[in-house]
Amino acid sequence: MYVCGSSIDQDDASVSSSQPDSNGFLSPISLLNSEKAVQELVQQPPVQGTDDHLREFSEALRTVAKALRRAAEGKAAAQAEAVEWKRKYELERERNLHLEYKDLSLREHHSDDNRIENLASQSNEGPERCCGNNGICSHEVLRDGGAKSDSKVVQDKYTRKASFKLSWCCKGEQSDQHKHDIVSFEKGNITTAERSSRQISLKWESDPQTVLILTKPNSTSVQILCAEMVRWLKEHKRMDIYVEPRVKTELLLESSDFNFVYTWKDDNEIILLHRKVDLVVTLGGDGTVLWAASMFKGPVPPVVPFSLGSLGFMTPFYSEQYKECLDSVLKGPISITLRHRLMCHVIRDAAKTEYETEEPILVLNEVTIDRGISSYLTYLECYCDNSFVTAVQGDGLILSTTSGSTAYSLAAGGSMVHPQVPGILFTPICPHSLSFRPLILPEHVSIRVQVPFNSRSHAWASFDGKDRKQLQPGDALVCSMAPWPVPTACLVDSTNDFLRSIHEGLHWNLRKTQSFDGPRDS
């Protein structure tokens, strides 16, 4: 939200044009005229001359202009605070309505809950009851109620989605307190309110039955590995397998024996995938993991990423050992990393309220605001909650997750951050200021980046390197932490995998060791 200025005009037409609209806000034209008038009065030098009355009148006008500007700034701050309180009220009301709806659903499906408890009691390992001391359990039976497709995407009967339990590895501690405010479950889906600094372990309480395999396109080696993995999972693990329509076509061209794989036809079926899939396997590099995350607009099943790319910061598993890796993952328990995503909203200048936004976009790495092909510097105003951060003048700005700290943010001078460190990276791109250094902000804040009206050109926003959108003067981009993380399986644990990735991928701090036969301190 911009700070409004007020003008001192002797002309009646100018005064009438600066009246507020029906919402209590000044129009952009009146704001521009009034602020310009105030700036002219404030910046105008004192009148030189022999007339004392004229000098006193000039100083009085300057004093009045300064007072009006301070009043306008106070009004803008009050308006911003009112908008924020309204936003909090709407969020709280929506949360209460959701809780009431969930309570009603629980009452209506009491019989299904009894069936769930029976399934849990019949588990082979006899796990402890739901909501144990070391984590939170999930036992769910899902009913698929959509229309059938040729690929048998939707089933009419009851299907049991694998239940699991997340626990915090305590390393010497006997137990841990409940973490209902950290991680919660809704029909087997992971939702977080904040991150835990401890290593998280996932234990299956019923066998996974359905797996989704996503592959890097245009790779012969990936196609061969995908066919082998699909055949092995079906023959040895008796699992239901989903693939993309492109992959199913490739498999059927190779052999008609692959007609057992499932796929989908449109985006409406993709929305329901998280209800059917117990596990996601990616065959490719970090880009394939980003693609897998982008398919799920809400909760994401656990992801097992195999490395068939160039770097592999998020792909710790080796494709040559896929049988042993999948055996270990399906048996459990496994260490996972909850990689949080940013939820981004584009608010156009024409929007009457802050709630008239475009469809939210979820990013796993970063959102970038740059100048595109324009020869002018990008001019952006940045706010953290209601506090002004800075005005960016340079090539652009990167808002990154900690998982994306080793991507574009690192190339622009940002720090490498452990993926379980809670925070949002604020990294400038080639700033026109020697003192502009990167920041790491807490994860609970909301960041607003706005293109001011006096910007020489528009800006461009890209989300994980795609979905590029133009931001005109007056448009804004609001980013906050999304409640649905991307749980990725670890080869060892999150710290070991992270350090190994920067050592092997970036050759971090790699140099020859000093010779032991050189000069020494006496």
Side-chain angles (χ1 to χ4, degrees):
M1 180 172 292
Y2 286 110
V3 175
C4 306
S6 301
S7 62
I8 305 175
D9 295 326
Q10 297 177 359
D11 191 74
D12 293 339
S14 300
V15 173
S16 62
S17 65
S18 63
Q19 294 297 322
D21 58 12
S22 59
N23 294 326
F25 296 93
L26 297 177
S27 64
I29 298 178
S30 63
L31 290 177
L32 186 62
N33 293 335
S34 60
E35 185 171 353
K36 181 178 180 182
V38 171
Q39 292 294 336
E40 289 178 354
L41 285 174
V42 174
Q43 297 177 2
Q44 183 177 0
V47 177
Q48 303 295 332
T50 58
D51 193 340
D52 294 337
H53 295 289
L54 184 59
R55 286 198 300 271
E56 291 177 1
F57 182 70
S58 175
E59 290 297 331
L61 284 179
R62 289 167 56 82
T63 302
V64 171
K66 291 179 180 180
L68 288 175
R69 183 174 62 181
R70 286 195 297 269
E73 291 174 353
K75 179 181 178 182
Q79 291 175 346
E81 185 176 1
V83 170
E84 179 63 18
W85 277 108
K86 181 180 178 182
R87 183 181 71 85
K88 292 180 179 179
Y89 168 76
E90 294 291 342
L91 291 176
E92 184 67 20
R93 186 177 65 174
E94 182 179 355
R95 175 178 175 274
N96 292 335
L97 291 175
H98 177 70
L99 291 176
E100 292 177 1
Y101 174 77
K102 183 170 22 175
D103 183 63
L104 181 61
S105 299
L106 289 175
R107 295 176 182 176
E108 292 178 351
H109 299 284
H110 180 67
S111 58
D112 290 342
D113 293 339
N114 293 333
R115 182 178 301 178
I116 294 170
E117 293 178 0
N118 294 332
L119 287 174
S121 63
Q122 296 173 3
S123 177
N124 294 331
E125 299 181 2
E128 58 182 307
R129 281 296 179 180
C130 191
C131 300
N133 290 331
N134 291 326
I136 301 175
C137 308
S138 171
H139 305 280
E140 291 293 340
V141 177
L142 302 182
R143 180 192 294 272
D144 297 327
K148 287 188 176 181
S149 63
D150 295 337
S151 57
K152 199 179 178 181
V153 174
V154 182
Q155 304 175 8
D156 292 331
K157 62 180 181 180
Y158 276 100
T159 59
R160 179 168 60 91
K161 181 175 178 178
S163 61
F164 52 82
K165 173 183 176 181
L166 292 186
S167 60
W168 281 258
C169 297
C170 300
K171 290 187 177 181
E173 299 179 14
Q174 296 298 324
S175 62
D176 196 8
Q177 62 179 355
H178 292 290
K179 298 289 185 177
H180 292 275
D181 58 330
I182 304 294
V183 180
S184 61
F185 293 91
E186 180 78 21
K187 293 186 177 179
N189 303 314
I190 302 173
T191 304
T192 62
E194 59 184 74
R195 288 205 240 186
S196 171
S197 60
R198 298 185 178 183
Q199 178 60 50
I200 301 173
S201 177
L202 183 148
K203 179 181 179 181
W204 299 104
E205 298 197 322
S206 61
D207 295 333
Q209 295 181 340
T210 307
V211 60
L212 168 65
I213 300 179
L214 300 175
T215 66
K216 179 174 66 174
N218 304 322
S219 174
T220 303
S221 60
V222 171
Q223 293 178 11
I224 296 174
L225 177 62
C226 178
E228 293 179 0
M229 184 178 293
V230 168
R231 187 178 290 108
W232 181 79
L233 287 172
K234 187 64 176 179
E235 294 177 356
H236 294 82
K237 300 299 179 181
R238 300 292 189 268
M239 299 189 71
D240 296 329
I241 301 169
Y242 283 83
V243 296
E244 299 174 81
R246 167 185 58 83
V247 177
K248 181 172 183 179
T249 301
E250 295 172 353
L251 292 173
L252 291 177
L253 288 176
E254 179 180 341
S255 173
S256 59
D257 295 337
F258 289 105
N259 57 3
F260 58 84
V261 297
Y262 301 150
T263 187
W264 55 86
K265 286 186 175 181
D266 51 34
D267 293 341
N268 293 329
E269 295 181 359
I270 295 178
I271 296 175
L272 302 176
L273 270 180
H274 71 277
R275 298 184 180 181
K276 304 177 177 66
V277 175
D278 299 321
L279 199 67
V280 178
V281 174
T282 64
L283 305 179
D286 290 348
T288 309
V289 179
L290 295 178
W291 166 245
S294 67
M295 290 183 58
F296 297 91
K297 307 303 180 183
V300 186
V303 179
V304 183
F306 285 91
S307 177
L308 289 110
S310 54
L311 285 178
F313 291 105
M314 294 186 287
T315 54
F317 293 93
Y318 299 105
S319 59
E320 299 83 2
Q321 306 168 358
Y322 76 89
K323 295 181 181 179
E324 293 81 1
C325 294
L326 289 178
D327 267 332
S328 176
V329 169
L330 294 175
K331 181 180 179 181
I334 57 172
S335 296
I336 66 170
T337 300
L338 292 182
R339 300 181 181 275
H340 276 226
R341 296 182 286 180
L342 289 177
M343 179 179 290
C344 307
H345 295 83
V346 175
I347 304 176
R348 299 298 180 183
D349 176 47
K352 297 180 180 179
T353 67
E354 297 245 352
Y355 304 100
E356 293 184 10
T357 65
E358 298 182 1
E359 183 180 359
I361 302 175
L362 297 176
V363 298
L364 181 56
N365 265 0
E366 76 278 311
V367 53
T368 304
I369 307 99
D370 57 61
R371 63 180 182 176
I373 62 174
S374 174
S375 59
Y376 296 109
L377 294 178
T378 299
Y379 183 31
L380 306 170
E381 290 184 349
C382 305
Y383 299 84
C384 180
D385 290 338
N386 289 328
S387 301
F388 176 73
V389 179
T390 188
V392 178
Q393 296 185 81
D395 281 353
L397 177 69
I398 301 170
L399 299 178
S400 170
T401 65
T402 50
S403 294
S405 66
T406 51
Y408 195 1
S409 175
L410 178 63
S415 297
M416 292 186 293
V417 185
H418 191 289
Q420 285 194 189
V421 175
I424 302 174
L425 279 67
F426 185 94
T427 308
I429 307 174
C430 298
H432 201 246
S433 171
L434 295 177
S435 60
F436 196 171
R437 309 303 302 162
L439 295 175
I440 299 179
L441 299 171
E443 64 169 351
H444 59 78
V445 302
S446 177
I447 300 175
R448 180 187 181 98
V449 180
Q450 187 147 0
V451 183
F453 286 104
N454 58 345
S455 176
R456 290 188 175 186
S457 64
H458 52 258
W460 290 86
S462 59
F463 308 88
D464 277 341
K466 57 182 185 297
D467 299 330
R468 202 159 170 81
K469 293 181 179 291
Q470 188 180 53
L471 301 179
Q472 297 286 354
D475 295 344
L477 176 68
V478 178
C479 299
S480 58
M481 198 68 76
W484 307 288
V486 179
T488 58
C490 300
L491 183 62
V492 182
D493 57 54
S494 60
T495 299
N496 184 283
D497 289 2
F498 171 70
L499 294 178
R500 183 174 57 85
S501 69
I502 63 175
H503 282 300
E504 296 181 359
L506 295 177
H507 305 294
W508 178 61
N509 196 28
L510 182 63
R511 70 177 299 274
K512 291 183 177 180
T513 306
Q514 285 183 315
S515 177
F516 71 93
D517 57 354
R520 301 183 182 181
D521 291 338
S522 57

